[in-house]
Amino acid sequence: PEPIAVLDAPARRVRLVGTPDGLLAGWYEEASPDLHYQIQRVVVMPLDRDGVPAGPARRLETAPYAYRDSGWSLIRRGDQVLAAWTRPDPAESSGDVTAAVIQPLTWTGEPDGDAIVLSEGRFVRHVLLRTTPLGAIALFTAYPNPEAYPHQIYSAALICNR
């Protein structure tokens, strides 16, 4: 194995999706070297068919960031890659209020249109995407209200024009 990226902070939740020219890799990168830090950056990097970097690593957002304990997803749909993650509300310091975000990307990982916010609420977590004939389905967990427990599972259909 050969390293494809030299990291300044710990990384987690690596993902990989095929593209016409190779692959798009992605991971969470801690925004701070503190191992207990909750906030992550979402990073993607294009790879060729042999797994060699084909372009620079890109942070999808500089702020706000992804939430550490949440899952994220990377899928190919039509002529785009869709990335989905859980973004904390920057005005809420505890990480309880979050949003499920979907960002269309080019094959090289550059944003390809505006990010879509599916839902904002308490403890939105674990966003998963899967393709469908008309687009994609996003599943995620969240509390429907502060008094409700346990998490509920939500589904959102995405219709893709491309």
Side-chain angles (χ1 to χ4, degrees):
E2 295 294 326
I4 63 167
V6 177
L7 305 173
D8 297 327
R12 59 174 46 90
R13 302 206 190 320
V14 175
R15 302 290 185 259
L16 189 64
V17 65
T19 67
D21 298 327
L23 305 157
L24 188 63
W27 58 89
Y28 278 176
E29 173 187 87
E30 291 200 10
S32 164
D34 177 358
L35 291 178
H36 300 291
Y37 200 65
Q38 294 289 324
I39 306 302
Q40 309 291 295
R41 294 182 182 109
V42 180
V43 180
V44 293
M45 174 188 279
L47 306 174
D48 68 17
R49 293 177 185 179
D50 294 322
V52 175
R58 290 182 173 83
R59 290 185 177 123
L60 295 185
E61 294 184 334
T62 55
Y65 307 105
Y67 186 72
R68 180 183 78 180
D69 293 334
S70 64
W72 76 291
S73 202
L74 197 61
I75 64 166
R76 178 179 168 178
R77 175 65 177 102
D79 64 352
Q80 293 179 314
V81 170
L82 300 177
W85 65 91
T86 303
R87 180 182 70 193
D89 182 337
E92 206 278 321
S93 63
S94 70
D96 291 356
V97 179
T98 52
V101 176
I102 308 233
Q103 174 67 63
L105 304 171
T106 66
W107 302 132
T108 59
E110 296 176 48
D112 192 17
D114 293 332
I116 301 161
V117 176
L118 289 182
S119 180
E120 291 183 290
R122 287 183 54 77
F123 295 102
V124 175
R125 300 284 193 271
H126 311 295
V127 184
L128 177 67
L129 290 174
R130 289 296 182 259
T131 59
T132 67
L134 295 178
I137 293 287
L139 292 178
F140 57 93
T141 60
Y143 287 139
N145 63 59
E147 290 77 34
Y149 188 82
H151 280 76
Q152 304 290 321
I153 299 175
Y154 292 86
S155 172
L158 306 170
I159 298 175
C160 300
N161 296 324
R162 297 168 47 179

